[in-house]
Amino acid sequence: MRVYKPEWRCTFSVNEGKEETSGWRERLAWFIRSLADRLDGRGRTIKIDYDLTPHLSREEVDICLGKGFAVTQSLLTQLAHQAACENVMREAKAELFEEHPQR
């Protein structure tokens, strides 16, 4: 009986800036990205690197990234909601947030 063993590899990294050992092309690319961020005035530029075996189509990768960013948006929305609630509570009931409450 023959045993089949699926094999795959996935490396994934997200960078927010150039690395110490980057070459001139990467430094130039990050300079242009930072310039675009300044012109845009909002948001954040990130670079996503991935290496997949077996090969997946660009469309399949884009679908996965889109779903991941949808989860990220949901998590950020929940975090903003919690922060807003905490801010209201800090204003309404400041005594609950005192470091050393008076007794």
Side-chain angles (χ1 to χ4, degrees), residues 13-25:
S13 66
V14 177
N15 297 316
E16 292 185 83
K18 64 182 179 292
E19 296 179 8
E20 298 283 328
T21 60
S22 58
W24 70 270
R25 285 188 178 123

Side-chain angles (χ1 to χ4, degrees), residues 11-97:
T11 58
F12 185 86
S13 66
V14 177
N15 297 316
E16 292 185 83
K18 64 182 179 292
E19 296 179 8
E20 298 283 328
T21 60
S22 58
W24 70 270
R25 285 188 178 123
E26 187 174 346
R27 287 194 308 270
L28 177 61
W30 278 108
F31 173 76
I32 294 169
R33 289 180 184 109
S34 68
L35 181 61
D37 284 347
R38 285 193 301 254
L39 289 173
D40 198 15
R42 297 179 42 136
R44 188 179 200 162
T45 297
I46 59 173
K47 181 181 175 214
I48 299 171
D49 289 318
Y50 58 89
D51 182 22
L52 303 168
T53 302
H55 176 76
L56 298 176
S57 72
R58 176 79 184 238
E59 183 180 358
E60 290 171 312
V61 172
D62 290 349
I63 289 169
C64 289
L65 291 173
K67 288 179 180 182
F69 284 118
V71 171
T72 300
Q73 179 185 5
S74 174
L75 293 172
L76 288 172
T77 300
Q78 288 176 21
L79 189 58
H81 179 251
Q82 291 169 1
C85 291
E86 184 177 321
N87 288 342
V88 168
M89 287 298 295
R90 283 183 185 277
E91 189 174 317
K93 295 285 188 180
E95 65 273 10
L96 296 175
F97 295 90

